[in-house]
Amino acid sequence: RRHLTQELGMCCGGEMSIFIEAVEPKPRLFVFGAGYIGKPLVAMATACGFEVTIVDGRSEWAEPARFPGAAVRCQDPEDAARALDLAPGDYACVVTHDHALDQRLVQILIRRPLRFLGMIGSRAKQRKFVQRLRGHGHSDEEIARLHTPLGLAIGAATPEEIAVSVLAQLIAVRRGVSIEPGWETPLGVGPAGEEVDPAAVETDPAT
């Protein structure tokens, strides 16, 4: 609010009020995996203001009719992950049907400029992935960017409940709200949770 004469030197007098509303673009969310968790996650994330792209190489799952309001890419997920023009404000969730595919996608995405990278899975899967990522030359700093198990600990059991927990985590990151980490730091964590020397971890090249 400004007084036209006193503040702006205008002879007409009176006051002027200007209202400014910042309109931000929708955050982009890329969901890899169009299965039982991907479907409700995409629906809820779209309703909550995310611009969602779903990626799956299976045509029977990557069906546009299953994902109203979202962009659907029926494409090999690894090819899509390499080709996507990702930005530092983007979000990515890996929720595919295949652990090996999850790992390959994470290896591609973990060095991309993302605000959030999450992968579905248990703590046992998390620990195995830490060893495998180290074995492929990823630093502990890079590995710590990966959020897994994905979602907040709300006791979710069904695919829809898991999707709610994941979306809650995405919203918290979007709004800058601090939440409890979903997993221990990868520094010094062995496959059974014991303390180990990261340099001493051996990796089976076949796994």
Side-chain angles (χ1 to χ4, degrees):
R1 176 173 293 180
R2 294 289 183 265
H3 192 283
L4 299 181
T5 301
Q6 297 174 359
E7 297 183 72
L8 302 179
M10 300 177 68
C11 61
C12 58
E15 290 185 342
M16 176 179 65
S17 297
I18 301 176
F19 297 90
I20 300 175
E21 179 182 3
V23 180
E24 300 179 350
K26 292 182 178 181
R28 299 196 303 172
L29 168 63
F30 297 90
V31 178
F32 293 84
Y36 298 110
I37 295 173
K39 188 175 185 295
L41 175 59
V42 169
M44 288 185 281
T46 300
C48 288
F50 286 84
E51 180 183 319
V52 185
T53 298
I54 181 80
V55 181
D56 200 303
R58 303 168 296 171
S59 59
E60 66 274 23
W61 293 87
E63 172 58 49
R66 298 182 68 234
F67 301 98
V72 179
R73 298 185 64 154
C74 184
Q75 180 182 5
D76 179 86
E78 294 173 73
D79 292 341
R82 295 188 185 96
L84 287 172
D85 184 18
L86 299 175
D90 292 340
Y91 300 68
C93 292
V94 177
V95 292
T96 82
H97 61 292
D98 184 345
H99 289 336
L101 177 58
D102 288 347
Q103 179 180 337
R104 296 193 298 271
L105 286 171
V106 166
Q107 288 175 204
I108 295 169
L109 294 169
I110 202 166
R111 288 175 174 166
R112 301 296 299 278
L114 291 165
R115 184 173 183 183
F116 180 93
L117 172 60
M119 181 189 68
I120 201 75
S122 64
R123 290 186 182 275
K125 178 178 176 180
Q126 165 211 103
R127 294 184 177 105
K128 292 178 181 178
F129 267 58
V130 168
Q131 291 190 57
R132 291 169 181 170
L133 288 170
R134 284 172 176 157
H136 283 85
H138 293 280
S139 67
D140 287 317
E141 182 179 7
E142 288 177 331
I143 297 170
R145 296 181 59 223
L146 176 63
H147 296 268
T148 185
L150 181 59
L152 302 186
I154 62 172
T158 68
E160 292 77 13
E161 290 174 349
I162 294 171
V164 168
S165 75
V166 173
L167 182 59
Q169 186 175 22
L170 297 178
I171 292 173
V173 173
R174 179 184 182 183
R175 302 304 183 192
V177 176
S178 297
I179 56 176
E180 291 295 322
W183 65 317
E184 301 90 353
T185 172
L187 295 173
V189 176
E194 72 275 18
E195 293 294 321
V196 298
D197 178 3
V201 175
E202 295 183 0
T203 302
D204 182 354
T207 59

